[in-house]
Amino acid sequence: MKIKEILTKKEGEKLFLLGNEAAVRGALEGGVSVASTYPGTPSSEIGDVFYKIAREAGIYFEFSANEKVALEVSAAAASAGLRSFTFMKHVGLNVAADSFLSTVYTGVRGGMIVLSADDPSMYSSQNEQDNRIMARLAGIPLLEPSNPQEVKDLMKFGFELSEQFEIPVLMRTTTRVSHMRGVVNLGLVIKRKEKGCFKKNPEQYVVMPAHVRKLRKKLMEKLTRIKEKANNSPVNKIIDKGGRALGIITSGGAFNYAIDVVSENNIEVKILKLAFSHPFPEKLVLDFINSVDSILVVEEVEPIMEKEVLAIIGKHNIAKKVYGKLDGSLPRIYEYNPDIVSLGIAKIVNKEIIRREKFGTKLPLPLRPPVLCPGCPHRGTFFALKKAVKKLKLREEDIIYSSDIGCYALAIQAPYKMADYCISMGSSIGIGCGFTKATNQKVISFIGDSTFFHAGIPPLINAVHNKDNILIVILDNRTTGMTGGQTNPGVPIDGMGNPAPEVSIEGIAKGSGVEFVKTIDPFNLKKTEEVFKEALQFEGVAVVIAKHPCAMITDAENRKKGISIKYAINQEECIKCLICVKNFTCPAFFIEKDGSVNINSLLCNGCGLCTQVCPKKAIEVKE
Amino acid sequence: MKNIYKIHLIGVGGQGTVKASTIVGEAAMKKGLNVVMSEVHGMAQRGGTVVTELKIGNAHSPLIEEGAADLLIAFEPAEALRALNKVGKDSFVIVNSSPIVPFTVSLSISEYPELSSVFEELKNKVKNLLIIDAQKIAKEAGSIISENMVLLGVAVATPNFPVDKKLVIQSMKENLPPKSIETNLKAFEKGFEEVNM
C-alpha cells in the first residue's frame, strides 16, 4: 500500500490499515477541514499521514509547537464551524488539559474530535494514565474503538455526535489499537468546508466566572441528553453467545481478547461491548446487568467501568457479583493479552480453558536496549562534554544531568550515564532551576530542539530571571527524532510540506537575556569540547546549541544521492585501546572473538565521527 | 486451512520484519481473508527487538496466545529463543542463521549464546525447524538487505501457509520500492526454493 491511497482509494474498496492510518481516513470521510498535533507515540503515524496527504486533500494540517496549541488551533476551527481533529499521546492531553477542559465548557459549532492514544504497558511513555478518567474530569463524550475499522467509522460518528450536541468528542485508543493493522472497508471521502466564520458570542467563548457558571449548568444538561443517546446508540453492541451465568462488559482493545477467548473456548456468555462509553449508558448497562447472574468487566487500564457498574448495582440495590480488577480477577497494571484475559475468565467460569504447552530457554539472551543510532550527532555532544568535564576535573557526583523527553535521554546508558532526572516534556530546565537553588551541585540540562519549542522556553526565561547557574545544552538535530522525524518550528518546512520560517533557538536564548549563547557542530569534537569547557566555567545561564542533522536525515539524503560510505579498521594501526567501543559506543563497532575491533558495514552510516576519536587514526574509509 | 493461522515474526530493528509482515497481511486480504496484525513502533525500534504478530482468519485480537503460533519466523538466531514462549509442539519454526550481536555484548553487559547451542536448543525443542542462511542467499540474489524476502519465500513454501505465492508476490510489488523489486523477487524465489528442492 502507498500512503496516498489512504486519500485516493474509492468507497467500497479495502485497505490493510494501521489504526492510526484509519483515523486519517475516518477524518477524511467525516469531512475534516483542520487537523493539528504534536507528535507522540503511539499517535505519531496519524500526523505522518496528514503530512503526506494534506495538500492533495485540500485540508489544513500542522505540527503545532505543543499539544495545547494543537488543541487550541482545532478548537478555534470548530468554533468557526469547521470540522477539526486534534490528536496526541495520552500525556500530551495533560499539556493540553487547561484549554481542553474549557473547550468542553464553551462547546463548538463544527464537529471536533480529540484523540488520545494511551499506552498501556508504557512501551514509549513515562506513565500509564488512563484518559478515560480525563473524559470524566472534563465531562466530554468518549468513544473507544477496538480495531482500525472502528477507528475509521467512529471518526465519522464522532463528528456527527459533536455537531449534534455542540461539544468536542474524545476518542481513546490504546497502543494495540493505534498500532494494530486490519482490513478496513472504505467509505466515501466527503468534501470539506474551506473556511468557516466565527460568530461572536462572548457569553459562550469567554470563560469569565459569570459565563462559566452558566456554561457549567449547560454542560450538565448536555451530558444528560448525550447519556440518552449513548443508551440507544448502535455502536454499543450486545454479542450473545448463549448462557446467562456471566455477562462481560468490555471496551476498546480489551474487547478483542475477551471475544477471542470466549470464541476459542466456546464459553457461553453475553457480552456488552461499549464503544460509546461516556457518559456511561446507565439504562443499557442496567438492563444488561438484570439479564445475567454475574458480571465481569474487561477493560484497560483502570477499573473505571467496573466502578460505574458497581455504582449502578448499589443505586438499584442489586445483589450480583462483579468481577474485574478490584477483586483481583484481572490485573490493574499493564496491557492485557489473550493469556491474561483467559486466566481471568478461567477463575470465574466453571469450564476447562485451553492451555497449551509452550517452550522456553535457559540460555543467556543478549540485551538489545534502545541506543543512539550510528551517525547520531548526540553521541558527539555527549562524548565531547564528558571529556570537558574530565579535563576540568569535575566529579560526576558533583554534577546533576537533567535530561528530557527525546533520544538524548538514551545517554542514561553506560558509559555516558548522563541522565539523572527526567519526568516530562521540557522538565530538564525547570528541574535544573530547582536543583541550582537546592544544591551546590553543577546542573547540566539537556533538551532537544522540538522539546525546547514545546515546553523549554518558559523555564529558560525562569532560569534567567532567577539568576540560576546552569548549563543548558540544546541538542538541535533539525527534527523531532524520537517519534520518527517530524518537522518543528526550527526547521524550514511546515506540517503541509510547504516552506516556512525557521524560528531561531539562538535568537530566543538571546532575547530571553542569556549572556552566554554559543552554537557548535558536535561533529567537530575538539571545538565542541572547548566550548563546553568555557560554558561549564561560566557563572550564570549558559546555553550551548549543538546543531547537526539527525542520522535519519543524513541517511535519507545519502540514499537519495546514492552515496554509500563505510568505515573500517586498519588492523595494523589499531592498538585495541577500545575507546571507539567502550567510550564512544557507536553500535556499529564490535569486538571479534580474537579480540580485534571491527565495524559492521550494515550498521555503519558513514558519518566518520569515529575517526576523530581514534588516537591512532586507524579508522579509514573502506575501499 | 485452520480457522485461525497465527504467525509470530521476530527480528532486530532494520531487518525489515514489519515490511515482511505487512506484505503477508495484504496478501491475505487480497485472498478475501480477515487478517489482524500487531506492530511495534517508536522507542522500542531503535536497535531493539522488533516483534510483529499476524492472525489470519476469524480473530479479533492481533496478539498470539503462548504456545499457539503456527509459524515462527525468526530473523535472527537468539531472537528465535526469545520467542520460544509462543512456540508449541506443532509450531513450524524458520530461523535465519546469521547473528546480530548487539553492542551490549562488546561492553560485556550482556552475553550472546554460542550459535551451536542456540541451534541445538531449537532442534531439541522444535519438531518442524528450518535453519536458513538468509544472508548468504540474499547476497546471491544481489543484496544483503533482502534477507527478509528470503525468509518470506521460505515461509510461503511451508505446509499450511494460508496465502498463495502469487498473491504474496503481488503484495510485494505494491509494498517495495520499484528499483529494488527485481532483487527482492529473486531473494524471495531463492528462499522459496530452499524448501521445495
Side-chain angles (χ1 to χ4, degrees):
Chain A
M1 183 196 81
K2 309 269 178 296
I3 291 296
K4 283 261 158 78
E5 290 179 76
I6 295 168
L7 170 66
T8 57
K9 272 266 178 184
K10 297 274 181 317
E11 182 185 12
E13 295 190 281
K14 287 176 181 174
L15 280 173
F16 188 47
L17 294 181
L18 207 59
N20 281 341
E21 293 167 350
V24 178
R25 177 69 187 206
L28 295 168
E29 289 181 9
V32 72
S33 296
V34 169
S36 54
T37 190
Y38 182 83
T41 311
S43 77
S44 308
E45 297 79 15
I46 306 175
D48 293 343
V49 177
F50 273 120
Y51 178 74
K52 285 181 184 137
I53 64 158
R55 268 198 297 198
E56 202 178 323
I59 61 173
Y60 176 73
F61 169 66
E62 71 173 44
F63 287 115
S64 308
N66 64 27
E67 292 87 352
K68 183 167 180 284
V69 178
L71 186 127
E72 287 154 358
V73 167
S74 276
S79 302
L82 299 176
R83 287 191 170 180
S84 70
F85 179 31
T86 186
F87 44 95
M88 54 204 65
K89 69 181 294 169
H90 59 336
V91 292
L93 196 56
N94 300 346
V95 176
D98 204 352
S99 292
F100 173 63
L101 266 71
S102 290
T103 303
V104 179
Y105 271 50
T106 63
V108 288
R109 278 173 52 228
M112 174 180 178
I113 296 178
V114 182
L115 184 147
S116 161
D118 290 10
D119 190 16
S121 280
M122 299 159 277
Y123 288 97
S124 11
S125 305
Q126 62 266 43
N127 74 26
E128 201 176 28
Q129 77 185 50
D130 184 337
N131 274 354
R132 295 178 306 159
I133 293 176
M134 202 65 120
R136 280 141 176 104
L137 179 67
I140 188 174
L142 173 67
L143 303 176
E144 294 187 69
S146 300
N147 57 49
Q149 179 76 54
E150 286 186 11
V151 171
K152 184 197 75 93
D153 294 344
L154 287 175
M155 284 295 297
K156 204 171 167 211
F157 176 85
F159 279 133
E160 284 157 9
L161 181 70
S162 170
E163 257 164 42
Q164 184 189 343
F165 294 98
E166 302 193 331
I167 191 169
V169 167
L170 181 66
M171 182 181 289
R172 185 242 192 178
T173 61
T174 52
T175 301
R176 291 291 170 192
V177 174
S178 311
H179 290 165
M180 168 187 184
R181 224 172 251 285
V183 179
V184 177
N185 294 300
L186 304 177
L188 187 67
V189 170
I190 63 167
K191 193 147 170 50
R192 95 234 127 71
K193 267 196 219 168
E194 275 185 33
K195 288 281 173 195
C197 180
F198 178 67
K199 289 189 197 132
K200 294 184 192 209
N201 182 5
E203 284 190 18
Q204 180 180 359
Y205 294 112
V206 181
V207 291
M208 285 161 54
H211 297 163
V212 288
R213 273 180 217 124
K214 285 180 197 150
L215 290 174
R216 166 87 177 143
K217 190 162 168 255
K218 217 171 148 188
L219 174 59
M220 289 303 121
E221 287 160 7
K222 266 188 198 175
L223 286 172
T224 307
R225 285 186 288 131
I226 299 170
K227 187 179 227 173
E228 205 38 47
K229 177 113 181 165
N231 274 322
N232 299 299
S233 175
V235 302
N236 290 333
K237 289 178 185 136
I238 288 180
I239 300 148
D240 199 339
K241 297 262 181 185
R244 291 295 175 263
L246 181 68
I248 296 177
I249 299 175
T250 181
S251 70
F255 161 77
N256 298 331
Y257 310 125
I259 185 86
D260 280 356
V261 170
V262 163
S263 302
E264 190 181 28
N265 294 284
N266 293 311
I267 302 168
E268 294 182 339
V269 292
K270 197 173 168 187
I271 298 175
L272 174 60
K273 175 187 185 303
L274 295 178
F276 184 174
S277 61
H278 183 262
F280 200 61
E282 194 175 332
K283 174 81 175 50
L284 178 68
V285 174
L286 177 64
D287 289 347
F288 182 80
I289 292 170
N290 282 330
S291 74
V292 292
D293 300 338
S294 62
I295 301 101
L296 166 67
V297 183
V298 183
E299 60 187 323
E300 292 169 314
V301 169
E302 299 289 351
I304 294 167
M305 297 199 301
E306 190 178 344
K307 285 181 180 168
E308 300 259 25
V309 168
L310 285 167
I312 293 172
I313 281 190
K315 190 167 153 190
H316 295 270
N317 250 328
I318 300 169
K320 281 182 187 174
K321 171 78 181 154
V322 177
Y323 301 95
K325 293 168 185 285
L326 295 171
D327 73 326
S329 295
L330 287 163
R332 177 138 180 194
I333 55 168
Y334 309 147
E335 68 168 350
Y336 287 168
N337 62 38
D339 296 303
I340 289 171
V341 172
S342 80
L343 207 67
I345 292 180
K347 285 188 228 162
I348 300 163
V349 298
N350 196 14
K351 191 172 188 305
E352 197 67 17
I353 301 251
I354 297 173
R355 288 267 149 260
R356 294 181 184 80
E357 185 196 351
K358 56 157 182 169
F359 298 131
T361 183
K362 293 216 162 64
L363 288 176
L365 292 179
L367 296 174
R368 300 186 194 275
V371 287
L372 296 175
C373 303
C376 176
H378 301 337
R379 185 172 286 106
T381 304
F382 292 120
F383 188 85
L385 178 58
K386 198 100 208 165
K387 277 186 95 170
V389 163
K390 262 192 194 146
K391 292 230 171 109
L392 292 176
K393 296 199 167 57
L394 296 169
R395 300 186 322 159
E396 287 292 333
E397 54 269 40
D398 292 334
I399 303 173
I400 300 170
Y401 297 105
S402 181
S403 197
D404 221 302
I405 309 287
C407 296
Y408 41 88
L410 296 173
I412 189 172
Q413 289 158 4
Y416 296 107
K417 295 187 179 172
M418 291 165 114
D420 299 319
Y421 206 109
C422 173
I423 52 170
S424 70
M425 291 286 290
S427 69
S428 58
I429 304 176
I431 290 291
C433 291
F435 278 132
T436 60
K437 293 291 189 277
T439 72
N440 285 325
Q441 289 157 294
K442 177 73 194 171
V443 176
I444 304 177
S445 294
F446 299 111
I447 188 166
D449 48 343
S450 189
T451 310
F452 178 72
F453 291 117
H454 178 286
I457 299 168
L460 173 72
I461 292 167
N462 191 72
V464 172
H465 181 70
N466 293 302
K467 306 179 286 293
D468 286 328
N469 186 13
I470 184 172
L471 166 58
I472 298 166
V473 183
I474 303 176
L475 301 101
D476 179 6
N477 64 351
R478 322 296 301 130
T479 190
T480 311
M482 190 66 132
T483 46
Q486 292 80 11
T487 64
N488 68 48
V491 303
I493 302 162
D494 67 14
M496 306 282 285
N498 292 323
E502 284 179 57
V503 176
S504 159
I505 295 173
E506 209 176 285
I508 291 172
K510 285 180 180 158
S512 303
V514 180
E515 284 166 28
F516 186 107
V517 182
K518 289 204 171 167
T519 300
I520 44 101
D521 180 352
F523 267 62
N524 183 339
L525 288 179
K526 221 171 152 186
K527 180 83 209 269
T528 303
E529 185 189 325
E530 274 167 30
V531 170
F532 275 140
K533 271 198 280 194
E534 214 184 311
L536 281 165
Q537 292 171 93
F538 184 82
E539 286 290 318
V541 179
V543 168
V544 174
I545 302 158
K547 191 170 175 179
H548 193 98
C550 172
M552 289 193 295
I553 296 175
T554 43
D555 281 349
E557 276 173 3
N558 287 344
R559 256 198 311 276
K560 220 174 183 176
K561 291 182 199 148
I563 299 171
S564 175
I565 301 167
K566 302 287 171 188
Y567 283 81
I569 311 279
N570 179 339
Q571 297 296 348
E572 280 165 28
E573 296 293 325
C574 176
I575 54 163
K576 301 189 181 63
C577 68
L578 302 185
I579 287 174
C580 54
V581 180
K582 307 231 164 182
N583 297 10
F584 187 61
T585 56
C586 171
F589 283 76
F590 65 98
I591 305 171
E592 299 272 15
K593 288 242 157 70
D594 64 5
S596 63
V597 179
N598 231 323
I599 297 174
N600 181 338
S601 302
L602 266 181
L603 291 178
C604 175
N605 103 321
C607 77
L609 186 56
C610 52
T611 60
Q612 296 176 43
V613 169
C614 179
K616 286 287 160 190
K617 304 275 166 241
I619 305 171
E620 300 168 348
V621 173
K622 198 173 174 179
E623 294 305 324
Chain B
M1 192 193 126
K2 279 185 22 177
N3 193 13
I4 303 171
Y5 190 84
K6 301 166 180 176
I7 315 174
H8 183 96
L9 297 97
I10 189 163
V12 175
Q15 284 193 298
T17 321
V18 177
K19 189 54 102 183
S21 312
T22 310
I23 288 170
V24 173
E26 279 197 29
M29 179 180 75
K30 284 181 199 299
K31 199 178 167 179
L33 299 169
N34 180 53
V35 51
V36 283
M37 172 177 157
S38 150
E39 307 183 4
V40 178
H41 290 251
M43 189 161 171
Q45 245 177 342
R46 305 252 182 283
T49 297
V50 174
V51 174
T52 64
E53 298 198 318
L54 280 150
K55 280 186 183 167
I56 300 172
N58 189 24
H60 290 82
S61 136
L63 297 185
I64 299 174
E65 305 79 10
E66 295 203 312
D70 293 289
L71 177 65
L72 163 67
I73 311 176
F75 288 56
E76 203 277 344
E79 294 310 308
L81 296 182
R82 217 188 290 277
L84 271 184
N85 67 322
K86 297 279 177 161
V87 172
K89 57 181 173 28
D90 299 321
S91 309
F92 216 103
V93 174
I94 299 166
V95 57
N96 182 7
S97 61
S98 358
I100 297 176
V101 180
F103 82 107
T104 52
V105 175
S106 290
L107 289 177
S108 315
I109 49 180
S110 83
E111 200 182 326
Y112 196 97
E114 280 298 324
L115 262 193
S116 54
S117 55
V118 172
F119 296 134
E120 201 181 319
E121 175 104 331
L122 289 170
K123 279 177 197 157
N124 286 340
K125 289 188 168 141
V126 181
K127 198 166 53 183
N128 308 306
L129 176 69
L130 286 172
I131 300 173
I132 304 289
D133 191 345
Q135 194 175 77
K136 191 177 127 222
I137 299 169
K139 247 185 222 163
E140 284 166 12
S143 169
I144 194 164
I145 59 165
S146 338
E147 268 183 27
N148 59 345
M149 292 302 115
V150 173
L151 294 167
L152 182 59
V154 176
V156 174
T158 56
N160 305 326
F161 193 81
V163 192
D164 328 35
K165 184 181 171 189
K166 212 176 72 188
L167 290 175
V168 174
I169 290 176
Q170 198 187 325
S171 174
M172 280 172 69
K173 287 177 182 163
E174 290 170 14
N175 279 286
L176 298 168
K179 63 178 183 197
S180 71
I181 192 71
E182 202 178 315
T183 316
N184 277 311
L185 283 172
K186 225 192 227 172
F188 174 83
E189 287 290 352
K190 277 179 178 289
F192 190 83
E193 284 159 21
E194 280 292 300
V195 187
N196 278 13
M197 282 212 293

